[in-house]
Amino acid sequence: MTMATSSKTNVAPKAHFGNVLRSEWIKFTSVRSTMWCLGTFFLLMVGFSALFCAITVNQWAKHLEEVINFDPVTASLAGVTMGSLAIGVLGVLMVTAEYGSGSIRSTFAAVPRRSQVLIAKVLVLAASVGVVAVVAEVIAFFLGQAILGSSKGHGHFITLGPVTVADHPPSVSLSDPGVVSALGATVSYLVCLALLTAGLGFLIRHTAGAISAFVGILFPLFLLVVLLPAAFRDRLEKFLPLQIQQSVVASKPLQGTPVLSTWHGIVVMALYAAVLLGVGAVLLERRDA
Amino acid sequence: MITVTGLTKSYGDKVAVNDLSFTVRDGAVTGFLGPNGSGKSTTMRVMLGLDRPTSGEVLIDGKPFRASASPLRHVGALLDAHAIHPGRTAYKHLWSLAASNGIPRSRVDEVLQLVGLTSTAKKRTGGFSLGMGQRLGIAAAMLGDPSVLLFDEPVNGLDPEGIVWVRTLLRNLAAEGRTVFVSSHLMAEMAITADYLVVIGNGTLKAETTVDGFIAEHTTERVHVQSPDLEQLASLLRNQGATTTSSEGQLTVEGMKAPAIGEIAAANSIVLHELSPVVASLEEAFMELTSDAVEFHGQDGTNK
């Protein structure tokens, strides 16, 4: 028996970064969890936002607070909180699934320069989340505005304490001030969140641990900070991812709670992601695979 | 050629490999033998730059593996057959690895055919048997048509036909001039497959030799003889330079082969009831060599 162990096409181009990027793209698109996470994000983003807008139409002008703070853009992006959970899981899994299965060893035996793997993963993740987030948000926005604008009321005005408002919620179009900026900032927020969770994945390397850390940063940390004395709370609260999210989805400045401005919030999120990925990259080179 | 020099690897307090030095030659199969937990996999992970040595170094063709410009074309490895994402198909798994080193996609089909997985290539690997996993791992190792191959326990989980196939493959790869380093805890398998042996126990080197040398050194041929004239035969044999021991009417002869014993008996008209050569197995020799080093002793089931 003769065996064709040799390849006839034995030209040897040097391993370069484009190849690593291509490899990561093949890996990312060849597991079901990617489609599940992005699909779940899409459904939550579009579905939850539409539901929120429909409820808003139905319950309009029942509470003063809601009416004066109402932002049609925020309403049509209401699914972002739930959707961001799916994005976070995606970022974690992209890294920890390889550690969990042990296939990270095949990866590093093929690409011993580990930082190239990290950078390729980051680019594939950022591009995918960016594209899907743009599509989901644009659909959620138009659907949400259509639902908000579907109620023309009776042309009456309602008096709620000191203010008088229309008897139906306002809606906006893409060209209104702050709209494109809010959509763009929300996409950026989601991309940063995905990278932050990939960083957690590189640090923690266990799926359950990294997802717990991600959810912990979003919710329990938020509760903890809110319980602090007011002086500390006001200083810290605005740096929390959930709080940053509140400001990025808004098309006008938020009233009441202290928040960072939209783009300051994005810079802070990007810094979080950069720090976690940076520490992850250092540990990646030092630790045994 | 792989050169391991003074390699020590500790995980916390536990020393997995202790001051290990040996070389793996080109154009030959070198068997890496040791009981479970003796440090074989650790050594192979260090060779691939996956684990960082505590001290010492491993050079592959004179350089550390992590410095390789085209890793898969230089070194192919099968480390753990089940270390594959269970949700990915065999084809996509191999394709992603090939792509990372700029290896053309057509090579994926070639290696799938080589290992006989063409028909299951589009199935998710989660449903693969251990044997199929081994074949996929071997396919991955062959992707870059490398000059150095590392296989960690490649015959685990393979059926007899698969074992013969791996043995033939390893022999062929070595015959093509490649460096083939293959670990096993089965002495008998290595005796058939390998040219050279590196034996470790408890993380330290126990032997570095040729397979033939190991067999010659560690097997003594004995012959069991039964005869009504045992005393007379024994003294005749001793006169010819053999060593004899007798117990319960049976003579055990060392230092003389069965035909010679038979001829001496015939020349002296001595009746033989039994004349049977006994070869101490390599497995016994291997166990003796590493007996102080077996980390996980099983109990034999009797209460002492």
PDB file of all heavy atoms in Angstrom, chain A residues 5-7 15 19 23 27 30-32 101-103 109-110 112 114 285 288-289, chain B residues 9 49-52 65-66 69 71 83 88 96 99 101 107 124 145 176 178:
ATOM      1  N   THR A   5       1.359  10.696   1.394  1.00  0.00           N
ATOM      2  CA  THR A   5       1.572  11.562   2.547  1.00  0.00           C
ATOM      3  C   THR A   5       2.040  12.937   2.117  1.00  0.00           C
ATOM      4  O   THR A   5       1.903  13.897   2.840  1.00  0.00           O
ATOM      5  CB  THR A   5       2.625  10.958   3.487  1.00  0.00           C
ATOM      6  OG1 THR A   5       3.768  10.618   2.720  1.00  0.00           O
ATOM      7  CG2 THR A   5       2.088   9.729   4.175  1.00  0.00           C
ATOM      8  N   SER A   6       2.611  13.005   0.913  1.00  0.00           N
ATOM      9  CA  SER A   6       3.189  14.275   0.484  1.00  0.00           C
ATOM     10  C   SER A   6       2.195  15.120  -0.289  1.00  0.00           C
ATOM     11  O   SER A   6       1.409  14.607  -1.071  1.00  0.00           O
ATOM     12  CB  SER A   6       4.392  14.010  -0.406  1.00  0.00           C
ATOM     13  OG  SER A   6       5.560  14.045   0.364  1.00  0.00           O
ATOM     14  N   SER A   7       2.266  16.390  -0.048  1.00  0.00           N
ATOM     15  CA  SER A   7       1.447  17.310  -0.814  1.00  0.00           C
ATOM     16  C   SER A   7       2.216  17.685  -2.065  1.00  0.00           C
ATOM     17  O   SER A   7       3.418  17.867  -2.042  1.00  0.00           O
ATOM     18  CB  SER A   7       1.171  18.553   0.035  1.00  0.00           C
ATOM     19  OG  SER A   7       0.952  19.652  -0.799  1.00  0.00           O
ATOM     20  N   ALA A  15       3.809  32.387   6.977  1.00  0.00           N
ATOM     21  CA  ALA A  15       2.578  32.647   7.712  1.00  0.00           C
ATOM     22  C   ALA A  15       2.506  34.145   7.994  1.00  0.00           C
ATOM     23  O   ALA A  15       3.412  34.711   8.574  1.00  0.00           O
ATOM     24  CB  ALA A  15       2.587  31.876   9.017  1.00  0.00           C
ATOM     25  N   ASN A  19      -3.503  35.480   6.922  1.00  0.00           N
ATOM     26  CA  ASN A  19      -3.873  34.069   7.059  1.00  0.00           C
ATOM     27  C   ASN A  19      -4.531  33.794   8.404  1.00  0.00           C
ATOM     28  O   ASN A  19      -5.495  33.036   8.497  1.00  0.00           O
ATOM     29  CB  ASN A  19      -2.627  33.186   6.916  1.00  0.00           C
ATOM     30  CG  ASN A  19      -2.083  33.197   5.502  1.00  0.00           C
ATOM     31  OD1 ASN A  19      -2.830  33.383   4.546  1.00  0.00           O
ATOM     32  ND2 ASN A  19      -0.780  33.010   5.372  1.00  0.00           N
ATOM     33  N   SER A  23      -8.277  32.434   9.149  1.00  0.00           N
ATOM     34  CA  SER A  23      -8.499  31.257   9.985  1.00  0.00           C
ATOM     35  C   SER A  23      -9.521  31.556  11.079  1.00  0.00           C
ATOM     36  O   SER A  23     -10.439  30.766  11.342  1.00  0.00           O
ATOM     37  CB  SER A  23      -7.164  30.826  10.604  1.00  0.00           C
ATOM     38  OG  SER A  23      -7.376  29.827  11.574  1.00  0.00           O
ATOM     39  N   LYS A  27     -13.259  29.910  11.748  1.00  0.00           N
ATOM     40  CA  LYS A  27     -13.657  29.344  13.047  1.00  0.00           C
ATOM     41  C   LYS A  27     -14.933  30.008  13.568  1.00  0.00           C
ATOM     42  O   LYS A  27     -15.838  29.350  14.055  1.00  0.00           O
ATOM     43  CB  LYS A  27     -12.517  29.513  14.075  1.00  0.00           C
ATOM     44  CG  LYS A  27     -11.398  28.522  13.883  1.00  0.00           C
ATOM     45  CD  LYS A  27     -10.511  28.450  15.101  1.00  0.00           C
ATOM     46  CE  LYS A  27      -9.467  29.521  15.074  1.00  0.00           C
ATOM     47  NZ  LYS A  27      -8.512  29.407  16.187  1.00  0.00           N
ATOM     48  N   SER A  30     -18.073  28.915  11.714  1.00  0.00           N
ATOM     49  CA  SER A  30     -18.351  27.486  11.574  1.00  0.00           C
ATOM     50  C   SER A  30     -18.878  26.846  12.851  1.00  0.00           C
ATOM     51  O   SER A  30     -18.927  25.631  12.952  1.00  0.00           O
ATOM     52  CB  SER A  30     -17.099  26.747  11.092  1.00  0.00           C
ATOM     53  OG  SER A  30     -16.049  26.886  12.027  1.00  0.00           O
ATOM     54  N   VAL A  31     -19.243  27.649  13.851  1.00  0.00           N
ATOM     55  CA  VAL A  31     -19.883  27.082  15.044  1.00  0.00           C
ATOM     56  C   VAL A  31     -21.268  27.701  15.211  1.00  0.00           C
ATOM     57  O   VAL A  31     -21.491  28.866  14.879  1.00  0.00           O
ATOM     58  CB  VAL A  31     -19.046  27.304  16.331  1.00  0.00           C
ATOM     59  CG1 VAL A  31     -17.784  26.446  16.285  1.00  0.00           C
ATOM     60  CG2 VAL A  31     -18.701  28.756  16.533  1.00  0.00           C
ATOM     61  N   ARG A  32     -22.173  26.887  15.734  1.00  0.00           N
ATOM     62  CA  ARG A  32     -23.558  27.346  15.855  1.00  0.00           C
ATOM     63  C   ARG A  32     -23.725  28.471  16.865  1.00  0.00           C
ATOM     64  O   ARG A  32     -24.609  29.298  16.741  1.00  0.00           O
ATOM     65  CB  ARG A  32     -24.450  26.161  16.229  1.00  0.00           C
ATOM     66  CG  ARG A  32     -24.763  25.277  15.042  1.00  0.00           C
ATOM     67  CD  ARG A  32     -25.445  24.006  15.473  1.00  0.00           C
ATOM     68  NE  ARG A  32     -24.517  23.185  16.265  1.00  0.00           N
ATOM     69  CZ  ARG A  32     -24.800  21.961  16.668  1.00  0.00           C
ATOM     70  NH1 ARG A  32     -25.964  21.422  16.391  1.00  0.00           N
ATOM     71  NH2 ARG A  32     -23.933  21.267  17.368  1.00  0.00           N
ATOM     72  N   SER A 101     -12.616  23.325  24.931  1.00  0.00           N
ATOM     73  CA  SER A 101     -12.483  22.097  24.144  1.00  0.00           C
ATOM     74  C   SER A 101     -11.030  21.655  24.031  1.00  0.00           C
ATOM     75  O   SER A 101     -10.752  20.523  23.662  1.00  0.00           O
ATOM     76  CB  SER A 101     -13.055  22.310  22.746  1.00  0.00           C
ATOM     77  OG  SER A 101     -12.285  23.260  22.043  1.00  0.00           O
ATOM     78  N   GLY A 102     -10.100  22.532  24.357  1.00  0.00           N
ATOM     79  CA  GLY A 102      -8.677  22.202  24.213  1.00  0.00           C
ATOM     80  C   GLY A 102      -8.140  22.528  22.833  1.00  0.00           C
ATOM     81  O   GLY A 102      -6.951  22.370  22.580  1.00  0.00           O
ATOM     82  N   SER A 103      -9.017  22.996  21.933  1.00  0.00           N
ATOM     83  CA  SER A 103      -8.546  23.259  20.572  1.00  0.00           C
ATOM     84  C   SER A 103      -7.637  24.488  20.516  1.00  0.00           C
ATOM     85  O   SER A 103      -7.007  24.742  19.492  1.00  0.00           O
ATOM     86  CB  SER A 103      -9.725  23.428  19.615  1.00  0.00           C
ATOM     87  OG  SER A 103     -10.520  24.517  19.991  1.00  0.00           O
ATOM     88  N   ALA A 109      -0.409  25.764  18.141  1.00  0.00           N
ATOM     89  CA  ALA A 109       0.607  24.958  17.448  1.00  0.00           C
ATOM     90  C   ALA A 109       0.693  25.385  15.986  1.00  0.00           C
ATOM     91  O   ALA A 109       1.716  25.218  15.341  1.00  0.00           O
ATOM     92  CB  ALA A 109       0.281  23.473  17.554  1.00  0.00           C
ATOM     93  N   ALA A 110      -0.415  25.943  15.467  1.00  0.00           N
ATOM     94  CA  ALA A 110      -0.423  26.425  14.086  1.00  0.00           C
ATOM     95  C   ALA A 110       0.052  27.880  14.005  1.00  0.00           C
ATOM     96  O   ALA A 110       0.646  28.293  13.015  1.00  0.00           O
ATOM     97  CB  ALA A 110      -1.820  26.302  13.483  1.00  0.00           C
ATOM     98  N   PRO A 112       2.125  30.064  16.535  1.00  0.00           N
ATOM     99  CA  PRO A 112       2.796  30.223  17.834  1.00  0.00           C
ATOM    100  C   PRO A 112       2.847  31.674  18.308  1.00  0.00           C
ATOM    101  O   PRO A 112       3.009  31.914  19.496  1.00  0.00           O
ATOM    102  CB  PRO A 112       4.204  29.695  17.589  1.00  0.00           C
ATOM    103  CG  PRO A 112       4.130  28.924  16.312  1.00  0.00           C
ATOM    104  CD  PRO A 112       3.028  29.550  15.512  1.00  0.00           C
ATOM    105  N   ARG A 114       1.065  34.157  19.582  1.00  0.00           N
ATOM    106  CA  ARG A 114      -0.292  34.150  20.134  1.00  0.00           C
ATOM    107  C   ARG A 114      -0.991  35.492  20.027  1.00  0.00           C
ATOM    108  O   ARG A 114      -2.211  35.545  19.905  1.00  0.00           O
ATOM    109  CB  ARG A 114      -0.237  33.705  21.600  1.00  0.00           C
ATOM    110  CG  ARG A 114       0.314  32.309  21.758  1.00  0.00           C
ATOM    111  CD  ARG A 114       0.382  31.911  23.208  1.00  0.00           C
ATOM    112  NE  ARG A 114       1.035  30.617  23.351  1.00  0.00           N
ATOM    113  CZ  ARG A 114       1.266  30.036  24.508  1.00  0.00           C
ATOM    114  NH1 ARG A 114       0.911  30.641  25.633  1.00  0.00           N
ATOM    115  NH2 ARG A 114       1.862  28.868  24.562  1.00  0.00           N
ATOM    116  N   GLU A 285       0.824  35.375  26.480  1.00  0.00           N
ATOM    117  CA  GLU A 285       2.199  35.000  26.157  1.00  0.00           C
ATOM    118  C   GLU A 285       2.865  34.279  27.327  1.00  0.00           C
ATOM    119  O   GLU A 285       3.734  33.435  27.126  1.00  0.00           O
ATOM    120  CB  GLU A 285       3.014  36.250  25.790  1.00  0.00           C
ATOM    121  CG  GLU A 285       2.549  36.942  24.515  1.00  0.00           C
ATOM    122  CD  GLU A 285       2.844  36.127  23.250  1.00  0.00           C
ATOM    123  OE1 GLU A 285       3.676  35.203  23.308  1.00  0.00           O
ATOM    124  OE2 GLU A 285       2.210  36.409  22.208  1.00  0.00           O
ATOM    125  N   ASP A 288       0.861  28.944  30.269  1.00  0.00           N
ATOM    126  CA  ASP A 288       0.841  27.725  29.474  1.00  0.00           C
ATOM    127  C   ASP A 288      -0.523  27.622  28.811  1.00  0.00           C
ATOM    128  O   ASP A 288      -1.540  27.955  29.413  1.00  0.00           O
ATOM    129  CB  ASP A 288       1.056  26.502  30.376  1.00  0.00           C
ATOM    130  CG  ASP A 288       2.467  26.476  30.947  1.00  0.00           C
ATOM    131  OD1 ASP A 288       3.355  27.118  30.357  1.00  0.00           O
ATOM    132  OD2 ASP A 288       2.675  25.812  31.972  1.00  0.00           O
ATOM    133  N   ALA A 289      -0.530  27.160  27.549  1.00  0.00           N
ATOM    134  CA  ALA A 289      -1.797  27.069  26.830  1.00  0.00           C
ATOM    135  C   ALA A 289      -2.587  25.851  27.287  1.00  0.00           C
ATOM    136  O   ALA A 289      -2.030  24.858  27.663  1.00  0.00           O
ATOM    137  CB  ALA A 289      -1.546  26.984  25.341  1.00  0.00           C
TER     138      ALA A 289
ATOM    139  N   LYS B   9      10.076  20.868  33.980  1.00  0.00           N
ATOM    140  CA  LYS B   9       8.813  21.599  33.982  1.00  0.00           C
ATOM    141  C   LYS B   9       8.053  21.279  35.261  1.00  0.00           C
ATOM    142  O   LYS B   9       7.739  20.125  35.538  1.00  0.00           O
ATOM    143  CB  LYS B   9       7.968  21.194  32.760  1.00  0.00           C
ATOM    144  CG  LYS B   9       6.582  21.813  32.725  1.00  0.00           C
ATOM    145  CD  LYS B   9       6.623  23.326  32.554  1.00  0.00           C
ATOM    146  CE  LYS B   9       5.241  23.941  32.697  1.00  0.00           C
ATOM    147  NZ  LYS B   9       5.295  25.409  32.650  1.00  0.00           N
ATOM    148  N   GLY B  49       6.002  24.572  22.219  1.00  0.00           N
ATOM    149  CA  GLY B  49       5.929  25.928  22.732  1.00  0.00           C
ATOM    150  C   GLY B  49       4.612  26.255  23.415  1.00  0.00           C
ATOM    151  O   GLY B  49       4.300  27.418  23.654  1.00  0.00           O
ATOM    152  N   LEU B  50       3.811  25.226  23.724  1.00  0.00           N
ATOM    153  CA  LEU B  50       2.518  25.486  24.366  1.00  0.00           C
ATOM    154  C   LEU B  50       2.715  25.740  25.853  1.00  0.00           C
ATOM    155  O   LEU B  50       2.059  26.591  26.439  1.00  0.00           O
ATOM    156  CB  LEU B  50       1.577  24.303  24.149  1.00  0.00           C
ATOM    157  CG  LEU B  50       1.166  24.070  22.697  1.00  0.00           C
ATOM    158  CD1 LEU B  50       0.402  22.768  22.567  1.00  0.00           C
ATOM    159  CD2 LEU B  50       0.333  25.229  22.193  1.00  0.00           C
ATOM    160  N   ASP B  51       3.611  24.967  26.454  1.00  0.00           N
ATOM    161  CA  ASP B  51       3.963  25.185  27.856  1.00  0.00           C
ATOM    162  C   ASP B  51       5.403  25.689  27.903  1.00  0.00           C
ATOM    163  O   ASP B  51       6.241  25.279  27.104  1.00  0.00           O
ATOM    164  CB  ASP B  51       3.854  23.878  28.660  1.00  0.00           C
ATOM    165  CG  ASP B  51       2.395  23.499  28.917  1.00  0.00           C
ATOM    166  OD1 ASP B  51       1.509  24.085  28.259  1.00  0.00           O
ATOM    167  OD2 ASP B  51       2.152  22.630  29.762  1.00  0.00           O
ATOM    168  N   ARG B  52       5.629  26.586  28.838  1.00  0.00           N
ATOM    169  CA  ARG B  52       6.944  27.201  28.950  1.00  0.00           C
ATOM    170  C   ARG B  52       7.769  26.361  29.924  1.00  0.00           C
ATOM    171  O   ARG B  52       7.310  26.069  31.021  1.00  0.00           O
ATOM    172  CB  ARG B  52       6.741  28.600  29.529  1.00  0.00           C
ATOM    173  CG  ARG B  52       7.855  29.557  29.325  1.00  0.00           C
ATOM    174  CD  ARG B  52       7.428  30.896  29.887  1.00  0.00           C
ATOM    175  NE  ARG B  52       6.558  31.608  28.957  1.00  0.00           N
ATOM    176  CZ  ARG B  52       7.019  32.455  28.035  1.00  0.00           C
ATOM    177  NH1 ARG B  52       8.313  32.685  27.945  1.00  0.00           N
ATOM    178  NH2 ARG B  52       6.203  33.070  27.221  1.00  0.00           N
ATOM    179  N   PHE B  65      10.538  26.121  18.639  1.00  0.00           N
ATOM    180  CA  PHE B  65       9.391  26.035  17.723  1.00  0.00           C
ATOM    181  C   PHE B  65       8.681  27.364  17.548  1.00  0.00           C
ATOM    182  O   PHE B  65       8.218  27.702  16.456  1.00  0.00           O
ATOM    183  CB  PHE B  65       8.397  24.979  18.212  1.00  0.00           C
ATOM    184  CG  PHE B  65       7.136  24.934  17.403  1.00  0.00           C
ATOM    185  CD1 PHE B  65       7.155  24.476  16.093  1.00  0.00           C
ATOM    186  CD2 PHE B  65       5.925  25.366  17.936  1.00  0.00           C
ATOM    187  CE1 PHE B  65       5.993  24.440  15.332  1.00  0.00           C
ATOM    188  CE2 PHE B  65       4.770  25.337  17.187  1.00  0.00           C
ATOM    189  CZ  PHE B  65       4.801  24.877  15.882  1.00  0.00           C
ATOM    190  N   ARG B  66       8.598  28.142  18.622  1.00  0.00           N
ATOM    191  CA  ARG B  66       7.830  29.394  18.543  1.00  0.00           C
ATOM    192  C   ARG B  66       8.443  30.391  17.573  1.00  0.00           C
ATOM    193  O   ARG B  66       7.797  31.354  17.173  1.00  0.00           O
ATOM    194  CB  ARG B  66       7.643  30.023  19.928  1.00  0.00           C
ATOM    195  CG  ARG B  66       6.525  29.334  20.699  1.00  0.00           C
ATOM    196  CD  ARG B  66       6.404  29.856  22.114  1.00  0.00           C
ATOM    197  NE  ARG B  66       5.504  30.995  22.206  1.00  0.00           N
ATOM    198  CZ  ARG B  66       4.919  31.388  23.332  1.00  0.00           C
ATOM    199  NH1 ARG B  66       5.143  30.737  24.458  1.00  0.00           N
ATOM    200  NH2 ARG B  66       4.118  32.427  23.345  1.00  0.00           N
ATOM    201  N   ALA B  69       8.720  30.218  11.152  1.00  0.00           N
ATOM    202  CA  ALA B  69       8.006  31.158  10.281  1.00  0.00           C
ATOM    203  C   ALA B  69       6.776  30.502   9.675  1.00  0.00           C
ATOM    204  O   ALA B  69       5.780  31.167   9.400  1.00  0.00           O
ATOM    205  CB  ALA B  69       8.934  31.660   9.182  1.00  0.00           C
ATOM    206  N   PRO B  71       4.845  27.406  10.842  1.00  0.00           N
ATOM    207  CA  PRO B  71       4.822  26.327  11.844  1.00  0.00           C
ATOM    208  C   PRO B  71       4.283  24.980  11.339  1.00  0.00           C
ATOM    209  O   PRO B  71       4.914  23.957  11.561  1.00  0.00           O
ATOM    210  CB  PRO B  71       3.916  26.893  12.937  1.00  0.00           C
ATOM    211  CG  PRO B  71       3.953  28.356  12.745  1.00  0.00           C
ATOM    212  CD  PRO B  71       4.141  28.601  11.292  1.00  0.00           C
ATOM    213  N   ALA B  83      -9.436  17.253  21.516  1.00  0.00           N
ATOM    214  CA  ALA B  83      -9.310  18.694  21.706  1.00  0.00           C
ATOM    215  C   ALA B  83      -9.757  19.451  20.453  1.00  0.00           C
ATOM    216  O   ALA B  83      -8.988  20.143  19.811  1.00  0.00           O
ATOM    217  CB  ALA B  83      -7.875  19.055  22.065  1.00  0.00           C
ATOM    218  N   ARG B  88     -17.986  21.996  15.477  1.00  0.00           N
ATOM    219  CA  ARG B  88     -17.422  22.336  14.177  1.00  0.00           C
ATOM    220  C   ARG B  88     -17.243  21.050  13.369  1.00  0.00           C
ATOM    221  O   ARG B  88     -16.946  20.008  13.929  1.00  0.00           O
ATOM    222  CB  ARG B  88     -16.081  23.041  14.389  1.00  0.00           C
ATOM    223  CG  ARG B  88     -15.554  23.767  13.173  1.00  0.00           C
ATOM    224  CD  ARG B  88     -14.316  24.577  13.524  1.00  0.00           C
ATOM    225  NE  ARG B  88     -14.661  25.841  14.180  1.00  0.00           N
ATOM    226  CZ  ARG B  88     -14.116  26.260  15.314  1.00  0.00           C
ATOM    227  NH1 ARG B  88     -13.221  25.539  15.929  1.00  0.00           N
ATOM    228  NH2 ARG B  88     -14.490  27.414  15.840  1.00  0.00           N
ATOM    229  N   SER B  96      -9.693  25.699   8.835  1.00  0.00           N
ATOM    230  CA  SER B  96      -9.266  26.852   9.632  1.00  0.00           C
ATOM    231  C   SER B  96      -7.774  26.746   9.958  1.00  0.00           C
ATOM    232  O   SER B  96      -7.056  27.748   9.943  1.00  0.00           O
ATOM    233  CB  SER B  96     -10.095  26.973  10.911  1.00  0.00           C
ATOM    234  OG  SER B  96      -9.741  25.980  11.844  1.00  0.00           O
ATOM    235  N   ALA B  99      -5.796  27.392   6.676  1.00  0.00           N
ATOM    236  CA  ALA B  99      -5.829  28.816   6.320  1.00  0.00           C
ATOM    237  C   ALA B  99      -4.833  29.623   7.147  1.00  0.00           C
ATOM    238  O   ALA B  99      -4.195  30.547   6.642  1.00  0.00           O
ATOM    239  CB  ALA B  99      -7.238  29.367   6.520  1.00  0.00           C
ATOM    240  N   ASN B 101      -1.989  28.990   8.053  1.00  0.00           N
ATOM    241  CA  ASN B 101      -0.619  28.915   7.546  1.00  0.00           C
ATOM    242  C   ASN B 101      -0.559  29.078   6.027  1.00  0.00           C
ATOM    243  O   ASN B 101       0.449  28.744   5.401  1.00  0.00           O
ATOM    244  CB  ASN B 101       0.020  27.590   7.953  1.00  0.00           C
ATOM    245  CG  ASN B 101       0.593  27.604   9.363  1.00  0.00           C
ATOM    246  OD1 ASN B 101       1.751  27.295   9.588  1.00  0.00           O
ATOM    247  ND2 ASN B 101      -0.231  27.982  10.334  1.00  0.00           N
ATOM    248  N   ARG B 107      -5.517  20.897   0.013  1.00  0.00           N
ATOM    249  CA  ARG B 107      -4.753  20.011   0.895  1.00  0.00           C
ATOM    250  C   ARG B 107      -5.660  19.390   1.961  1.00  0.00           C
ATOM    251  O   ARG B 107      -5.394  18.295   2.454  1.00  0.00           O
ATOM    252  CB  ARG B 107      -3.606  20.812   1.534  1.00  0.00           C
ATOM    253  CG  ARG B 107      -2.715  20.032   2.487  1.00  0.00           C
ATOM    254  CD  ARG B 107      -1.981  18.900   1.814  1.00  0.00           C
ATOM    255  NE  ARG B 107      -1.142  18.184   2.778  1.00  0.00           N
ATOM    256  CZ  ARG B 107      -0.667  16.950   2.578  1.00  0.00           C
ATOM    257  NH1 ARG B 107      -0.930  16.313   1.459  1.00  0.00           N
ATOM    258  NH2 ARG B 107       0.078  16.370   3.491  1.00  0.00           N
ATOM    259  N   ARG B 124     -20.274  17.179  12.329  1.00  0.00           N
ATOM    260  CA  ARG B 124     -19.705  17.848  13.497  1.00  0.00           C
ATOM    261  C   ARG B 124     -18.900  16.839  14.298  1.00  0.00           C
ATOM    262  O   ARG B 124     -19.322  15.695  14.467  1.00  0.00           O
ATOM    263  CB  ARG B 124     -20.808  18.441  14.359  1.00  0.00           C
ATOM    264  CG  ARG B 124     -21.590  19.505  13.613  1.00  0.00           C
ATOM    265  CD  ARG B 124     -22.660  20.151  14.482  1.00  0.00           C
ATOM    266  NE  ARG B 124     -23.576  20.912  13.647  1.00  0.00           N
ATOM    267  CZ  ARG B 124     -23.321  22.131  13.178  1.00  0.00           C
ATOM    268  NH1 ARG B 124     -22.194  22.718  13.488  1.00  0.00           N
ATOM    269  NH2 ARG B 124     -24.198  22.752  12.421  1.00  0.00           N
ATOM    270  N   ASP B 145       2.394  19.060   5.484  1.00  0.00           N
ATOM    271  CA  ASP B 145       3.407  18.154   4.931  1.00  0.00           C
ATOM    272  C   ASP B 145       4.744  18.375   5.651  1.00  0.00           C
ATOM    273  O   ASP B 145       5.785  18.602   5.021  1.00  0.00           O
ATOM    274  CB  ASP B 145       3.560  18.437   3.420  1.00  0.00           C
ATOM    275  CG  ASP B 145       4.274  17.302   2.710  1.00  0.00           C
ATOM    276  OD1 ASP B 145       4.404  16.213   3.308  1.00  0.00           O
ATOM    277  OD2 ASP B 145       4.720  17.515   1.570  1.00  0.00           O
ATOM    278  N   GLU B 176      10.504   8.413   4.528  1.00  0.00           N
ATOM    279  CA  GLU B 176      10.635   9.594   3.664  1.00  0.00           C
ATOM    280  C   GLU B 176      11.638  10.593   4.229  1.00  0.00           C
ATOM    281  O   GLU B 176      11.801  11.690   3.689  1.00  0.00           O
ATOM    282  CB  GLU B 176       9.269  10.276   3.515  1.00  0.00           C
ATOM    283  CG  GLU B 176       8.290   9.494   2.641  1.00  0.00           C
ATOM    284  CD  GLU B 176       6.846   9.989   2.763  1.00  0.00           C
ATOM    285  OE1 GLU B 176       6.612  11.036   3.399  1.00  0.00           O
ATOM    286  OE2 GLU B 176       5.963   9.314   2.235  1.00  0.00           O
ATOM    287  N   ARG B 178      11.547  11.911   7.385  1.00  0.00           N
ATOM    288  CA  ARG B 178      11.011  12.828   8.396  1.00  0.00           C
ATOM    289  C   ARG B 178      11.395  12.374   9.794  1.00  0.00           C
ATOM    290  O   ARG B 178      11.709  11.220  10.023  1.00  0.00           O
ATOM    291  CB  ARG B 178       9.487  12.885   8.302  1.00  0.00           C
ATOM    292  CG  ARG B 178       8.992  13.345   6.952  1.00  0.00           C
ATOM    293  CD  ARG B 178       7.477  13.273   6.940  1.00  0.00           C
ATOM    294  NE  ARG B 178       6.990  12.981   5.600  1.00  0.00           N
ATOM    295  CZ  ARG B 178       6.271  13.842   4.870  1.00  0.00           C
ATOM    296  NH1 ARG B 178       5.956  15.017   5.338  1.00  0.00           N
ATOM    297  NH2 ARG B 178       5.867  13.505   3.666  1.00  0.00           N
TER     298      ARG B 178
END
